[in-house]
Amino acid sequence: QVQLVESGGGLVQPGGSLRLSCAASRSIFSNSNMAWYRQAPGKQREWVARVTMGDNTNYADSVKGRFAISRDNAKNTVYLQMNSLKPEDTAVYYCNANVLAGWRRGDNYWGQGTQVTVSS
């Protein structure tokens, strides 16, 4: 069974930092592009950042220069380092795996989400 388990969310003051982690099943991690999405109350889920199998990264304009995505293939874990947080970053953050190789190619998986609240 494939699992994505996020952790690291919480309450932080504006300007603060948090690091989110997503531990993925070994069966898919190395064959997947990994991404973070977020969904604020009353809004649609939006893409935040992506790291490819080849370690290339992309960011939404709203987080560029403040967030950094990385992956540790030895630990089957993807991270999202969030700095200079703003109240508008408040959302539930979801980890996503888009499987591009192997027998699960074409599958797409989501974690359960972790709440990030930026407030004074």
Side-chain angles (χ1 to χ4, degrees), residues 14 20 50 54-55 69 71 79 85 92 97 105 117:
L20 305 183
R50 180 185 71 160
D55 226 15
I69 189 171
R71 65 191 295 159
Y79 304 97
L85 282 160
V92 177
R105 179 178 179 179
T117 302

Side-chain angles (χ1 to χ4, degrees), residues 15-108:
S17 298
L18 279 177
R19 189 175 83 154
L20 305 183
S21 300
C22 172
S25 297
R26 187 175 64 177
S27 62
I28 62 159
F29 188 81
S30 62
N31 288 332
S32 299
N33 286 350
M34 301 298 297
W36 288 94
Y37 287 74
R38 67 187 181 185
Q39 187 167 17
K43 295 188 177 181
Q44 290 189 331
R45 189 172 298 189
E46 64 173 359
W47 170 75
V48 174
R50 180 185 71 160
V51 57
T52 68
M53 291 165 53
D55 226 15
N56 294 311
T57 59
N58 302 94
Y59 299 92
D61 288 344
S62 59
V63 307
K64 201 172 293 183
R66 299 187 298 122
F67 290 11
I69 189 171
S70 61
R71 65 191 295 159
D72 185 335
N73 290 333
K75 296 182 178 180
N76 301 311
T77 300
V78 61
Y79 304 97
L80 185 67
Q81 177 67 42
M82 305 186 294
N83 300 323
S84 303
L85 282 160
K86 305 174 182 180
E88 51 264 44
D89 295 317
T90 296
V92 177
Y93 283 71
Y94 296 91
C95 178
N96 173 266
N98 183 22
V99 187
L100 300 180
W103 69 280
R104 293 187 187 271
R105 179 178 179 179
D107 288 354
N108 196 273

